Amino acid sequence: SFMNILVVFLDIDGVLNTRDSWKTPFQLNDDCIKAFCEYLNTLKYEIRIVLTSSGKMVILQFLKMKRHN
C-alpha cells in the first residue's frame, strides 16, 4: 500500500561520496553507499530513491551547448 512507501530525495554530493571523491566526476564512495544501504535496511518501509547531484549542472551545460551548435 502507499502508506508503507518512503520516497527519499537524495543529493548524493556529500552523502554517497566524500570531498576526495569530488576530484573525479560522478564517483561514489563504496563505504558511503554501504552505510546508507545499512541505514535504509533498518527502516520498515518500501524505499524509493530519487537521486540528484550538482553534477547534473555539468550535463545540462553540455546539452545546452550541443543544442546551440
Side-chain angles (χ1 to χ4, degrees), residues 12-34:
I12 64 172
D13 302 314
V15 176
L16 297 183
N17 61 22
T18 62
R19 189 175 294 272
D20 290 336
S21 304
W22 297 350
K23 297 173 188 171
T24 306
F26 311 111
Q27 180 177 336
L28 301 178
N29 180 286
D30 290 339
D31 292 332
C32 294
I33 293 171
K34 182 180 176 187

Side-chain angles (χ1 to χ4, degrees), residues 8-63:
V8 177
F9 293 86
L10 178 64
D11 184 339
I12 64 172
D13 302 314
V15 176
L16 297 183
N17 61 22
T18 62
R19 189 175 294 272
D20 290 336
S21 304
W22 297 350
K23 297 173 188 171
T24 306
F26 311 111
Q27 180 177 336
L28 301 178
N29 180 286
D30 290 339
D31 292 332
C32 294
I33 293 171
K34 182 180 176 187
F36 183 66
C37 288
E38 287 174 356
Y39 168 71
L40 291 179
N41 286 332
T42 67
L43 303 176
K44 305 298 181 201
Y45 295 95
E46 186 175 328
I47 308 292
R48 300 287 188 255
I49 301 173
V50 179
L51 293 177
T52 187
S53 170
S54 60
K56 69 182 176 286
M57 299 309 295
V58 173
I59 295 169
L60 290 174
Q61 283 293 69
F62 174 77
L63 292 174

